[in-house]
Amino acid sequence: MTGSTAATFTADDYRARMGRAARAAAEAGLAGLLVAPGPDLVWLTGYTPPAVTERLTLLVLAAGQDPVLVVPALEAPDAHRAAGASALTLRDWTDGKDPYAATAALLDASGRFGISDNAWALHLLALQQALPGSSYASLTEALPMLRAVKDAAELDLMAAAGAAADATFEAIRDVPFAGRRESEVAADLDRLLRGHGHEQVDFTIVASGPNGANPHHEAGERVIARGDMIVLDFGGLRDGYGSDTSRTVHVGEPTDEERRVHDLVREAQEAGFRAVRPGAACQDVDRAARRVIADAGYGEYFIHRTGHGIGVTTHEPPYMIEGEERPLVPGMCFSVEPGIYLPGRFGVRIEDIVTVTEDGGRRLNTTTRELVIVE
């Protein structure tokens, strides 16, 4: 996380987030939240520890109680400099002392707590030993929508990340494809994303020819040839907020079948986007996109969910998938990315990040969804 993100939000922003999280925990029947280093801690406090170590760092939130951040003493100076530090109490501990006893003193001995998905088992087991009457639930299980609805400032950052990914796609269209390895084009994507302000690149999928039938293909040493369909899927974090877009390009002129499949995916992606509106269920987006592909006879080749949430991580709730009945709410951000994958032949995926508005949806990626010809 770069310093520019911390500067975007004030201590009051972080205070409001922590208060909202504590109230949500109480409404969910939890005694509080325990937040370990990771995206939840950054979002709630603006603090990223200087290193991930075995030493306990834990934010304790409970309704009606001031937030407390338990930190190792040697990292306390860094915690004091965090943008949200003035909105919480710092409690440090020194090597040789028991941090779990100090943390246990802040907790209801028989309470049920939400805890970060990425908390170390070492720390969770030690807390359970210190408080044998306590119990725990993962934050994804207990409060899956904690970060899902973005405020205006967050939406501005999401839009800027999307614009940077779009600029990357416009630039990658002009690089040579034929005769180069997938890994070389992936390196170009990484360079371009960073050049457009990304401090972190999470993935640069370049899946050419038959590799395009694998949705999560790792760019490898295959040499791209004329006649190849190529799935490009790339993104990461810009000023702490995520980008993720997919476009499918073709080296030279495509066949009629390749154009037909691409047009079908484009139609499905449009149908998924048009299903976005407040109050619609997440699964409605999946159903709308999937129906187009299934009705054309390619249903068995659409092998993943239609979308995933995005924010301070590139994959997070909510998920656009059958069975997810959670309603869409203005400010939610997620991908709409149907695809068709023909084993041994080629694949097509088209993806935009979409945010729910008061009366529908707004794309945060605006590059052409037509089939682009590259050389």
Side-chain angles (χ1 to χ4, degrees):
M1 191 71 61
T2 63
S4 54
T5 305
T8 301
F9 301 106
T10 67
D12 285 342
D13 293 321
Y14 292 113
R15 182 179 291 106
R17 289 178 185 178
M18 287 188 282
R20 190 163 76 245
R23 290 190 297 274
E27 291 167 3
L30 298 171
L33 301 180
L34 306 177
V35 185
D40 291 316
L41 185 64
V42 175
W43 184 77
L44 287 163
T45 69
Y47 175 54
T48 302
V52 178
T53 74
E54 73 286 357
R55 293 184 174 92
L56 179 71
T57 295
L58 201 67
L59 174 68
V60 179
L61 296 178
Q65 177 179 312
D66 289 339
V68 177
L69 182 61
V70 178
V71 294
L74 76 169
E75 294 173 2
D78 297 290
H80 276 290
R81 287 192 290 269
S86 63
L88 49 77
T89 298
L90 289 170
R91 187 161 300 181
D92 61 22
W93 61 275
T94 57
D95 286 352
K97 303 295 184 181
D98 184 354
Y100 307 107
T103 304
L106 303 171
L107 306 178
D108 178 348
S110 59
R112 180 169 178 77
F113 297 90
I115 189 165
S116 299
D117 296 7
N118 56 336
W120 286 22
L122 168 75
H123 301 319
L124 176 56
L125 293 171
L127 283 173
Q128 287 179 315
Q129 186 173 10
L131 294 173
S134 63
S135 60
Y136 303 85
S138 75
L139 280 188
T140 292
E141 173 193 342
L143 294 176
M145 295 295 105
L146 180 63
R147 306 191 315 258
V149 177
K150 278 65 177 176
D151 63 24
E154 290 181 294
L155 289 173
D156 286 345
L157 290 169
M158 292 291 301
D166 284 355
T168 294
F169 177 68
E170 295 295 353
I172 203 70
R173 292 172 58 171
D174 295 329
V175 308
F177 280 79
R180 301 178 70 212
R181 293 180 175 85
E182 292 174 340
S183 58
E184 293 175 302
V185 178
D188 287 338
L189 285 170
D190 186 294
R191 172 180 54 80
L192 289 165
L193 283 168
R194 294 183 189 278
H196 288 288
H198 281 62
E199 70 271 11
Q200 177 178 313
V201 175
D202 288 346
F203 45 87
T204 52
I205 293 173
V206 179
S208 63
N211 290 339
N214 175 3
H216 282 172
H217 172 69
E218 293 280 346
E221 297 308 297
R222 184 181 186 275
V223 176
I224 298 168
R226 290 192 65 80
D228 279 348
M229 191 84 94
I230 308 171
V231 177
L232 303 175
D233 184 347
F234 49 92
L237 299 183
R238 182 186 185 278
D239 287 339
Y241 280 77
S243 69
D244 185 1
T245 190
S246 301
R247 293 292 186 262
T248 302
V249 301
H250 197 278
V251 186
E253 284 300 314
T255 65
D256 289 345
E257 182 190 22
E258 287 170 332
R259 281 196 180 277
R260 186 169 64 252
V261 171
H262 188 277
D263 286 346
L264 182 60
V265 173
R266 181 165 53 84
E267 182 183 348
Q269 206 268 349
E270 178 68 19
F273 169 69
R274 292 190 177 280
V276 175
R277 63 185 184 280
C282 292
Q283 68 180 4
D284 292 343
V285 179
D286 182 81
R287 288 175 174 178
R290 197 170 300 277
R291 186 180 303 115
V292 172
I293 292 174
D295 286 352
Y298 287 89
E300 66 182 293
Y301 303 112
F302 181 9
I303 56 177
H304 55 71
R305 65 197 175 202
T306 293
H308 58 82
I310 185 170
V312 294
T313 61
T314 49
H315 287 75
E316 61 188 43
Y319 299 102
M320 307 301 113
I321 190 170
E322 180 66 32
E324 179 52 86
E325 298 179 350
R326 194 179 311 278
L328 301 180
V329 176
M332 282 183 175
C333 297
F334 49 84
S335 65
V336 178
E337 51 176 308
I340 292 176
Y341 308 93
L342 303 178
R345 301 182 63 204
F346 64 89
V348 176
R349 182 164 63 257
I350 301 172
E351 174 185 15
D352 294 324
I353 299 303
V354 173
T355 184
V356 185
T357 65
E358 294 296 332
D359 57 1
R362 175 169 66 96
R363 284 185 167 103
L364 300 186
N365 297 107
T366 60
T367 55
T368 182
R369 285 170 288 281
E370 301 288 340
L371 183 56
V372 169
I373 308 302
V374 296
E375 295 300 329

